[in-house]
Structure formats: structure tokens, C-alpha cells
Amino acid sequence: MPLTPGSRLGPYEILQPIGAGGMGEVHRARHLKLGRDVAIKVLPTELAADRSRLAWFEREARTASALNHPNIVTIHDVAEHEGTTYIAMELVEGRTLRELIARGPLPIDRALGLAGQIADGLAKAHAAGIVHRDIKPANVMVTVDDLVKILDFGLAKPLPTDGREVAGPTLTETREGVIVGTPHYMSPEQLSGDPVDHRSDQFAFGVLLYEMLGGKPPFDGPSMQAIISAILVKPTPPLRQLRAEVPADLEQIIGRCLEKEADRRFPSTAELGAELRRCADRRTRAGRGLVATLRRPAVAGTLAALVLALGLAGWLRSRGTERRWAENDALEEITALIERGDLYDAYRTALEAEKYRPGDPEIQKMVARITLPLAVNTDPPGAEVSVKGYATPDAEWERLGVTPLTLRIPYAMMRWRITKAGYEPFEGAPSSGPALMDLASGLLLDSVDARPRGTVRVPAGLLEELPEAPLPDQLPAMMIDAFFLDQYEVTNRQFREFVAAGGYRRQEWWPSPIVREGREIPWQEAIDRFRDPAGEYGPSTWELGGYPVGEDDHPVGGISWYEAAAYCAFAGKSLPTVYHWFRAIGQDQLSDILVHSNMDSDRKAPVGRFKGLSAYGSYDMAGNVKEWVWNATGSDRYILGGAWNEPTYLFKHLIAQDPWGREATYGVRCASYPSPPGEELFAPVTPRQEITPLTPISDEAFGVLRGMYAYDALPLEPFAEREEDFPGYLREIVSINAAYGRERMAVHLLIPRDVAPPYQSVIWYPGDDAFLLPSSDSYSSAYLFDFLPRGGRVLVYPVYKGLYERAEPWVRSPSGMRDMIIRWSQDVSRTIDYLETRPDFDATKIGYYGFSAGASYGPVFTAVEPRIGASILLGGGLVPFQWRPEVNPVHFAPRSRTPTLMINGVDDFLMPYELSQAPLLAMLGAPADMKRHARLTGGHIPTNRLELIREVLDWLDLQFGPVERAATVASAGPEPQ
């Protein structure tokens, strides 16, 4: 019967509807005798006559009523009244998890607390032999006190008493097109119709927790088919690329829940809950006493001084549990954090442990390795200094003290906030040596309203030579006076003010002369070219003189260099020069800024939405839109920072484009100069591109150079770290002894599933963008090599010195590069040593594949290592660095006899054909018929991936012979795209 307010259902009076779904309608009701409000669930009228639905409904009541747990909704009654079967259950006041997530990702600690309760409730059900099979945000209620209640056991099934698994709901178990289950949260075995057990709920739980932290489910698509395909085939997108502050151990827990193979998940959900509690405990410990422990008096250089600064409150806490942790687990935890590259958390954890192990030499040694002393001074003094981790932009600021201040800080990026009454606050993330020196030498604070509105101050200082720019682009050192830079990119709303003020009618704002194809053209003729698609004056991304609705705060895009310069003049400012733009970043190339910036995505975002913060307080200098700067090179103008749809690799590269270009990715931010900069800063910039001339050296002299790469063949002592399944291949991670310094080196092996050993293998060396990432759990530029294991060859990825978990500070000076290249070469050779010990690898068919920097160093590696049978250099060439003779490619390339394929884009601005690519090809010592140069469509990274794949695979087939597929394919995954 239809239920309306006032209807009677047995002893209950219906008060109001609460909600409805495919499996039932829910009403608020009151027990007339007990006066207790409950939730009444009934089948919809149109389904009540369906016996299968009725059976399902009654099974839910029986299943849930068998469970008694604070995180599972309580069933009070199941009964029938005048033909209507209903369930009376606990009324939960609150919101569904779906409603909470709709507001945005949850704070990490809250998500952990809720997830722990969900896991506990599921563990109770699983211990009782019940699998929920429909865990999703809509089936989890959260009360105002953050108490979790798991709802809707309508799809639950008990495990048979003999322990066999239960067949899961499949896409064939449908009625009127309704899938039994919710595709986003269904495990691979559910979608495939295979038997399920408690581990299927773990998969759904992993999706749920990923969504709580990331704001969206890990597997999605425009259609149900696309969602199902993503769950079955695609690897889990790294959560920390979506939200960098998620702890690595929490991401690992989620990743284990989302394993495609059920037996790789947790043996029990109770164990999953225990892991979550350990993760929460680690965060609690790490959060205690940060500020006090960061303080360091100038006269004290030991950790004991930091402990004393905690004061009496630290001694009043209960110390038993924490002392046991410090004595038994702390060193292992600190080591793991350092290995993962979480130096900030490692430092905080070490200081917490040192309170219970004062003077412990092992902890002091760890802290000394990852910290450096720093003085913080301001002009005027007496400013409050606060910090938080760069990876946690939404965390609370934690006070360090008042300037002048002396501390020790970890080798990790931090966000700094410096405030003083009557002065504008400073907020930035200095990480390079010069930027940190700005803190030490005395940061000048601006009086309130003393700087242009919406700008940040960039202090005066020396902009050092820029080896971190693309290697051909060596800029000279320049002294830069203090200036102001827009905190954000110019928005559509701001550019509309320019248009409304007559920006396309008033010639005085436009640079002169206006030149096209070497010819100065009249102003009006030029202006008529700057129209939107409907013919109105304005950016190419606008229409009828207006920008898309809702994009007021998006950065303006689709403007030429001339329009950018005119806007800045209208605003009373100027386009920054190349030198000022690089000075404003104030972070080296090992910057975390890219993790928090809008790059390598599918759309631009409102300014400031992403939290990529530069040294001095500007946002979005990496990504969103590229930013025009003043300087020319030839007939082009520089445009810096990369765009939202470009790889992170381009962030700090000197890119020049046609100043008339009006791509959607072309935008602007402006600079203000208190005093006019020197004319040399505005002059055309022609990066030094002279290639060191080849001066032949004798074989004897080369033998001396070659001797620097030798190492003792000490035992490898390999250790299998872990195995992981990916579509089409298995990832093995092993560690071996490096060739130097008693260090261990991880080697990743991506092994195809459908090829019988012995395997052909290819050693990969990445571009410099890999040095921007803290963990090897997610590779940089994987699309450039992940086709190799799917194509039948093992991709071998050593974690090179300074890369990923082995990150450490080093200087890109000639001597610094010499030391690192020798180490990298030894890493390659040591990897080959390991491959030779494995009978499942063919030691005569080992290739090398290097990208960008890896392609430039490649001839050094192949000249030193004769066991490499084929080489592929992608995006390489000779570069005009001040090489030390010991690593200068011009000495090594002629002695590389390895068959070599060079692949370059025809429009590669970074490695020009005449100056870089062709000279290297000519120098290579392989016979002419053993060298090939493939020039493909695109720039530094070829745009046609299929062309790239074809060239690489054809070359390897030619040198090693085609691979033979195994007769039985376990799970080959998708073919290369």
C-alpha cells in the first residue's frame, strides 16, 4: 500500500519520507507505544509483487539483524502488515558519505577516522561470514558526532559453511537494465562473475577511501563500459598526484585494497583495519610537538636542546606506549620515510623518537643527514615566523618564533609565513640556495599598502647561470633589483577591463613597432588580426567579445605577445623579462611545485585553485597557462612555465613562439619595477648554443678517462623487495648493492606476461623531470616506455643515484655533473651485472633507452659499457654545457660502437637539428649502417606516439630479433596504443 504521513504500519506511524532507491523506500516513523523514532524500509509498490525482490528484501533484514556492531545499523524488527513487508531499523541522524564527499575531499585525519570505523564494521560482518557486496558512499551514514553506520545489506550474501566463495552479482543479473551492484565500486571479480568473498568488499572500500581523499573515484569514464574497462584493465591512478599530502603509507593501504587480484589484498579486513589504525597513530605521533622541536637556539647544536624546548608538558604525558614505539619501531619508521623521500615527516618522527632516546647516535645521524642550519632574519626584526609542509597546504600554520631566529630545517620544501603588525605578510616557499639566503640575509617586509595591489615582492639578488633551463639554453648570470610580480596570472575578468577601457582602440598601450614576418605593419592592420571567432576584438578563446560563463577567475588565454604587452601597459606594469621570471621562482628543479600545479591535465583552472607556490608567493607559475615575457630570440618571443595540457618537463624550459600566436594556452602575468631595469635585461636573448668542438684525444688518454668508471665487482646481494601486477606485465622490484658507498639501489623490472624466457631487456634512463618526483611508485613520462613490456621485452628501470627515493642535494656544476654521470654509468653497469645473474634473461640482448638528458648521456654509457647491444636516444643531442673532460660526450661518442637509433622531433627547439642532433649522430662511432636518425612529427617529445613505438620496436627487432610470444597468455592486457 502507498505510505503517506499518518499511515499506520503495524505499531508504527509514518512521519515523513526520507529517501528512495532501487531496493526500497525509506520513511521516518514512530513506534506508538515506545515513542521511539525509527527508519522504516519497504519495497516500492511496483516491486513488492516480485518474489525475487521480496526474497532479497527479507534476506537483507535477516543478514543485518544477525550483526551487532556500533558501525552497522541496528535492525529492530522485520514484519508484514496488510501485504506490505517492512524493516524497522535504527534511525541515523546525519549525512551520507556521498553528501560529505560532494563538498570536496575530506581532511586526511577525518577520512582516516571514518575509514577505520567502516573497516571495523565490515570486519564484524566478514567474521560472521557475511559479504556486503555494495559498499559505496550512499550506503554509509555519518552522524553529527562522526559515528559511521553501514547501511543496506540488500546485496549481502553469507559465505557457505564449507568456506567456499560466493558467486558474485554479474552484469547478467539484471532486471529492466538495472545492474545488481554499483559499477564504480564493484571489484574485478564481481564484474567478471567470478566468486567473491570478503576481499571484494575490500576493493569497494579502497575505492571509497580513494574518493574520500581525492574527491573522485579512481576508476571512471564517460560510459558504464568505460568504467568497467577501467576497473578490469587500468592501473590505479596515483592518489598522491591528485593530493600530494596523502601519506605514502595510506596510499599503499588503498593500493593494496585495489589490487586486481583478490589474493593480493588483505588476508582479513581486521588486518586492514589494524593497518589504518597504525597509519593514524603515526600521524598523531608526527603531529606532536613540531613547533617546539623545530626551534633551535643559536648556541645549541644538539637534539637535546630541542627536547628541552618542549617544556614540562611533554613530561606530563603518558610515555609508556610512545617509549615502546621509540625503542622498537622508530628507526625502522624513520628509515622507511627517508627511503620514500618523505624527509619532512622523517625529521618530525626522528625528533619525536629522540625525546625518548636522548642522545641516541643513530637518530642523531639520521637527523644530521636530512637537515641543514638556517638563520631567518627580517627587516625590520620582530616578525612572527610560521611553517607547514609544502605537501600539506591546507594544514594549520605552526609558529617557530620571532626573528632573528636560528633553526635546523630538513632538506624538504616548506611553506613559510612571516608576519608583523603594520606590514604586508610574506608567504612563500624558498628552496633554492639563493632563496634561502634571502631569508638569512634579511627579508625586507613591505609596509601595508606599500606594494602594488595583487603583487608579491621578489628581493634583489643574483640570478645565477641557468643550467636547469633546457641544456642548450645557458643564460648568463644577471643581477636583478627588487621588483614586484603579479601573484596570479591575469584573469578573464581583468582582461575584460582592458577591453572595456578601449584596449583595442588606444594605440599608446601597444608596443611599437609591430612586426610580422620581418615587416613593420600599421597599427590598425595589426589590431584587426586580434579578433575572436565571432569577429569581435578579444582573445581567440572568447566569443562575441566575452569569455565563457563561469570563467571570470580563469586565466585569460588565447592572447598574442602584443596583446599581453598592451594589457600590462594598461595596468601600469610591464611584461617581466626572462631573468625576472626565473628569479621569481626561487626553487631548483627538484621542486615539489609541480605536484601542486595544473600541468599534464585536461583543462585550465581558476587562478590559485592549485597550491603550487613559488619562493616569494606567486601561484601558477607552473602550468595553467603559459606566460609571455618580454625578451625576443630571433623573430620569436619567450613564453614560459608550461600549460595545463603539457608535461611537467616544460616548466622551466626556455620556450619561444611566434608573438602573433594566440593558442588557448597563451596567457600573461605582469611585473612592476620600482626602478627601471638595465637595458641588457630587455635585450634579445640568444642562449649560448656553441657545441664544444671535437678535439680528438688519444686512446691512451681515453683509457685514463675510462678508468674513472671502473668499480670493484663486489657481491650484488640481491633482495626481492616486492611484486605488483599491472595490465600486461608484472613489476618486480629488487635491490642490489651499488658500485659505491655501501649504498643499495632498487631496480624495477616490468616483465611481460605472455613471453617465455629468456627475456630481452631494455634499460631506461628518464628525462630530468623524473628528478622532480619523490617516489618511484609513479614513473615520470611512463607513456614513453610502457609499451615495451606490452610489446614483449622487459623494461629495466634502475633507481639512479639522486632519483626518486635516492634523492639528495647535488649541484649541477661541471664537477657535480661529472660525479653524477660517473655514478649513473656505474648504476647502468651494475644493473647489467644483476641481469647476467638471472637465467631468465638473455645477457646478449640488453638494450639502452634514454630520453632527453638520458639521451644526451647515452653515448657516455654505451662507450663505457660494451655489454649494451642496442641503443635508443630519444630527444637527445650534443649540448653546450661546460663538461669536464671525464664525461664530455664528444670524447665518448666516437668510441661508442653500439648500434644506435636517434629519435627527435622535427620542431625540437631544445635540441636544434643543425647545432645538436646532427653533430651527435655524425660523432657516434657505430658504422653508418648501424646508425639511424628518425625525425618525427613534434618538438622535444614527438607528438605521434604510434610513430615512436614503431621506430623503437622495429629497431630492437632489427638488432635482437623479434620476441616470441608464449603459447598461453595469462593476461596480456591491452595492446600498445
Side-chain angles (χ1 to χ4, degrees):
M1 67 178 185
L3 296 180
T4 58
S7 299
R8 293 285 296 274
L9 203 62
Y12 301 98
E13 178 184 356
I14 302 300
L15 300 179
Q16 65 188 55
I18 296 177
M23 293 304 296
E25 298 172 352
V26 183
H27 300 260
R28 187 185 188 110
R30 178 168 296 148
H31 194 290
L32 294 176
K33 289 185 178 181
L34 300 178
R36 177 176 63 190
D37 282 3
V38 299
I40 294 288
K41 183 173 182 178
V42 299
L43 274 177
T45 303
E46 64 274 14
L47 299 179
D50 186 324
R51 291 185 178 180
S52 64
R53 294 289 180 139
L54 186 59
W56 234 327
F57 189 73
E58 292 175 344
R59 183 174 69 230
E60 174 184 6
R62 290 194 303 271
T63 302
S65 64
L67 301 171
N68 181 19
H69 191 273
N71 298 126
I72 298 176
V73 67
T74 302
I75 301 298
H76 298 310
D77 195 9
V78 57
E80 184 267 340
H81 177 79
E82 296 181 359
T84 299
T85 302
Y86 64 90
I87 303 172
M89 66 185 76
E90 174 186 7
L91 179 66
V92 183
E93 302 280 8
R95 296 180 181 274
T96 66
L97 199 52
R98 168 60 62 209
E99 294 173 284
L100 295 180
I101 295 173
R103 301 175 178 178
L106 302 184
I108 292 174
D109 290 329
R110 188 183 188 195
L112 259 174
L114 298 178
Q117 296 181 65
I118 299 169
D120 288 346
L122 287 176
K124 173 67 174 181
H126 296 162
I130 294 169
V131 184
H132 190 285
R133 301 199 305 167
D134 198 21
I135 292 296
K136 59 184 178 182
N139 284 342
V140 177
M141 286 291 294
V142 181
T143 72
V144 292
D145 298 323
D146 263 11
L147 177 66
V148 163
K149 294 286 185 178
I150 302 173
L151 311 176
D152 202 346
F153 280 76
L155 295 185
K157 278 190 176 183
L159 290 171
T161 55
D162 62 4
R164 291 180 294 108
E165 296 176 334
V166 181
T170 71
L171 300 185
T172 60
E173 293 182 36
T174 63
R175 177 187 177 98
E176 298 177 356
V178 179
I179 294 180
V180 177
T182 308
H184 278 102
Y185 306 92
M186 293 176 73
S187 64
E189 57 267 27
Q190 280 180 287
L191 293 171
S192 301
D194 295 330
V196 303
D197 60 13
H198 61 282
R199 296 169 297 183
S200 190
D201 280 351
Q202 290 180 16
F203 185 91
F205 173 85
V207 176
L208 186 71
L209 183 50
Y210 187 107
E211 190 172 3
M212 290 163 68
L213 294 166
K216 61 181 182 179
F219 307 108
D220 205 355
S223 65
M224 186 175 298
Q225 182 179 2
I227 295 169
I228 293 169
S229 175
I231 292 173
L232 293 176
V233 175
K234 293 185 178 179
T236 304
L239 178 56
R240 292 212 292 172
Q241 287 188 2
L242 200 63
R243 189 175 178 185
E245 65 267 30
V246 172
D249 53 354
L250 180 54
E251 185 177 38
Q252 290 171 359
I253 292 171
I254 296 171
R256 188 169 177 184
C257 290
L258 296 178
E259 289 283 358
K260 306 294 186 190
E261 301 294 334
D263 59 6
R264 298 183 68 84
R265 300 173 205 150
F266 289 90
S268 72
T269 307
E271 183 175 331
L272 164 60
E275 282 295 324
L276 288 170
R277 283 189 291 275
R278 282 191 283 270
C279 180
D281 289 344
R282 284 190 289 269
R283 283 182 61 81
T284 300
R285 286 196 301 271
R288 291 194 184 105
L290 166 66
V291 176
T293 53
L294 275 175
R295 297 189 184 189
R296 195 171 187 91
V299 297
T302 68
L303 285 171
L306 293 173
V307 176
L308 291 174
L310 289 172
L312 180 62
W315 293 97
L316 296 177
R317 292 199 301 265
S318 173
R319 299 163 59 89
T321 300
E322 293 181 349
R323 183 178 299 279
R324 286 192 296 273
W325 163 79
E327 292 174 351
N328 299 326
D329 302 324
L331 284 176
E332 181 179 350
E333 187 173 320
I334 296 165
T335 301
L337 287 167
I338 293 174
E339 288 178 352
R340 288 201 299 264
D342 295 335
L343 299 187
Y344 190 76
D345 286 344
Y347 176 62
R348 295 172 66 173
T349 303
L351 293 177
E352 183 71 14
E354 209 274 344
K355 290 183 296 181
Y356 304 97
R357 299 172 62 173
D360 186 288
E362 291 298 321
I363 294 178
Q364 288 186 336
K365 185 186 302 182
M366 287 186 172
V367 172
R369 281 183 58 202
I370 61 174
T371 63
L372 73 161
L374 179 69
V376 182
N377 296 286
T378 56
D379 182 8
E384 296 268 351
V385 180
S386 302
V387 298
K388 56 183 169 181
Y390 194 90
T392 54
D394 298 325
E396 295 294 325
W397 291 103
E398 300 182 87
R399 183 178 180 275
L400 295 182
V402 177
T403 59
L405 194 61
T406 301
L407 347 139
R408 287 193 70 89
I409 62 171
Y411 288 110
M413 286 187 63
M414 297 192 297
R415 297 171 188 264
W416 297 74
R417 181 173 172 83
I418 301 176
T419 58
K420 183 176 175 67
Y423 294 86
E424 297 284 356
F426 166 84
E427 187 173 324
S431 68
S432 69
L436 290 174
M437 286 303 298
D438 290 332
L439 292 180
S441 60
L443 193 69
L444 178 63
L445 303 179
D446 293 302
S447 299
V448 171
D449 298 328
R451 67 187 184 209
R453 184 179 179 183
T455 68
V456 299
R457 168 182 284 274
V458 181
L462 177 68
L463 178 69
E464 297 180 343
E465 199 165 286
L466 293 178
E468 73 269 20
L471 290 175
D473 300 338
Q474 299 291 303
L475 295 179
M478 286 284 184
M479 178 58 69
I480 308 295
D481 291 334
F483 68 101
F484 301 102
L485 186 72
D486 286 355
Q487 187 173 23
Y488 302 108
E489 296 162 328
V490 174
T491 65
N492 281 317
R493 180 191 287 114
Q494 291 171 318
F495 199 84
R496 183 171 60 186
E497 296 173 0
F498 164 71
V499 176
Y504 289 90
R505 299 191 304 272
R506 297 180 61 174
Q507 186 173 353
E508 66 268 25
W509 290 329
W510 291 74
S512 179
I514 297 180
V515 178
R516 186 173 179 84
E517 296 176 352
R519 177 180 70 89
E520 183 175 346
I521 61 176
W523 182 77
Q524 190 59 52
E525 179 183 337
I527 295 304
D528 286 340
R529 296 176 182 269
F530 302 135
R531 297 178 182 270
D532 65 30
E536 296 291 331
Y537 289 120
S540 66
T541 54
W542 290 17
E543 187 174 317
L544 293 172
Y547 50 82
V549 175
E551 294 192 3
D552 302 64
D553 295 323
H554 284 65
V556 66
I559 60 173
S560 66
W561 178 88
Y562 289 101
E563 291 164 285
Y567 172 83
C568 289
F570 152 76
K573 304 176 184 180
S574 171
L575 283 176
T577 71
V578 164
Y579 306 99
H580 289 89
W581 194 92
F582 274 110
R583 168 68 179 157
I585 294 171
Q587 294 170 354
D588 57 34
Q589 201 169 8
L590 301 178
S591 170
D592 294 347
I593 190 172
L594 298 182
V595 179
H596 296 273
S597 295
N598 187 22
M599 296 195 76
D600 201 14
S601 71
D602 58 357
R603 60 176 64 89
K604 64 179 178 178
V607 298
R609 169 73 59 81
F610 285 77
K611 301 302 182 182
L613 179 66
S614 73
Y616 304 107
S618 51
Y619 287 86
D620 297 317
M621 294 195 75
N624 230 11
V625 292
K626 292 188 282 195
E627 301 169 14
W628 287 110
V629 295
W630 181 268
N631 306 80
T633 177
S635 61
D636 292 338
R637 297 277 180 165
Y638 287 102
I639 186 166
L640 306 179
W644 75 81
N645 60 350
E646 294 183 328
T648 56
Y649 188 82
L650 298 181
F651 162 46
K652 292 182 73 174
H653 280 182
L654 279 168
I655 303 296
Q657 299 291 343
D658 181 352
W660 292 82
R662 305 178 81 221
E663 299 294 329
T665 55
Y666 293 2
V668 63
R669 82 171 71 221
C670 305
S672 301
Y673 303 119
S675 57
E679 292 183 2
E680 69 277 7
L681 297 173
F682 290 94
V685 172
T686 303
R688 296 201 307 272
Q689 294 186 330
E690 304 86 359
I691 301 299
T692 305
L694 175 61
T695 303
I697 60 175
S698 66
D699 290 341
E700 291 76 15
F702 180 75
V704 174
L705 300 184
R706 173 66 181 82
M708 299 190 67
Y709 294 77
Y711 57 89
D712 294 329
L714 298 174
L716 292 163
E717 298 181 356
F719 178 78
E721 299 286 348
R722 67 180 189 268
E723 291 186 358
E724 300 168 322
D725 286 320
F726 287 84
Y729 60 86
L730 173 73
R731 178 165 77 173
E732 290 184 13
I733 302 178
V734 300
S735 61
I736 59 176
N737 287 326
Y740 45 83
R742 296 185 179 179
E743 296 185 29
R744 295 286 288 178
M745 175 179 69
V747 179
H748 293 220
L749 305 165
L750 310 188
I751 301 177
R753 298 179 184 278
D754 59 343
V755 174
Y759 301 118
Q760 299 182 21
S761 57
V762 180
I763 299 173
W764 167 258
Y765 191 103
D768 275 349
D769 56 331
F771 289 87
L772 300 170
L773 300 178
S775 170
S776 58
D777 284 339
S778 58
Y779 302 126
S780 66
S781 305
Y783 68 99
L784 295 176
F785 63 77
D786 62 4
F787 59 86
L788 279 165
R790 295 191 179 107
R793 293 178 174 89
V794 177
L795 190 285
V796 183
Y797 198 153
V799 177
Y800 296 93
K801 178 79 169 177
L803 180 65
Y804 295 135
E805 292 83 2
R806 301 181 70 196
E808 61 182 42
W810 61 284
V811 180
R812 289 175 179 258
S813 64
S815 295
M817 289 297 296
R818 173 201 58 200
D819 296 342
M820 292 302 284
I821 289 175
I822 291 174
R823 293 299 187 226
W824 296 332
S825 176
Q826 292 171 336
D827 289 343
V828 170
S829 293
R830 199 65 167 155
T831 299
I832 296 175
D833 291 345
Y834 170 69
L835 295 179
E836 287 185 326
T837 68
R838 296 210 19 180
D840 54 342
F841 280 75
D842 187 338
T844 68
K845 296 180 178 179
I846 299 174
Y848 172 84
Y849 179 17
F851 166 54
S852 193
S856 297
Y857 313 144
V860 177
F861 302 158
T862 53
V864 168
E865 182 49 79
R867 293 174 291 179
I868 297 175
S871 175
I872 300 161
L873 309 179
L874 171 62
L878 291 180
V879 296
F881 187 70
Q882 295 177 358
W883 299 106
R884 296 278 301 180
E886 301 93 324
V887 295
N888 194 333
V890 302
H891 295 319
F892 288 79
R895 290 173 168 83
S896 173
R897 308 291 195 265
T898 306
T900 299
L901 166 68
M902 285 183 58
I903 304 176
N904 294 89
V906 294
D907 298 318
D908 190 346
F909 182 84
L910 304 178
M911 300 286 181
Y913 175 75
E914 294 83 3
L915 295 173
S916 182
Q917 301 170 29
L920 177 59
L921 183 70
M923 284 183 187
L924 290 171
D929 61 349
M930 292 294 181
K931 295 189 290 188
R932 170 172 166 75
H933 193 194
R935 302 186 66 205
L936 308 182
T937 304
H940 191 56
I941 303 174
T943 55
N944 190 321
R945 185 166 176 263
L946 285 177
E947 288 183 350
L948 170 66
I949 292 172
R950 190 176 303 113
E951 288 288 347
V952 170
L953 296 184
D954 285 352
W955 184 252
L956 293 172
D957 285 348
L958 178 64
Q959 303 307 320
F960 295 151
V963 295
E964 295 184 7
R965 302 281 179 172
T968 301
V969 179
S971 176
E975 289 300 314
Q977 298 296 310

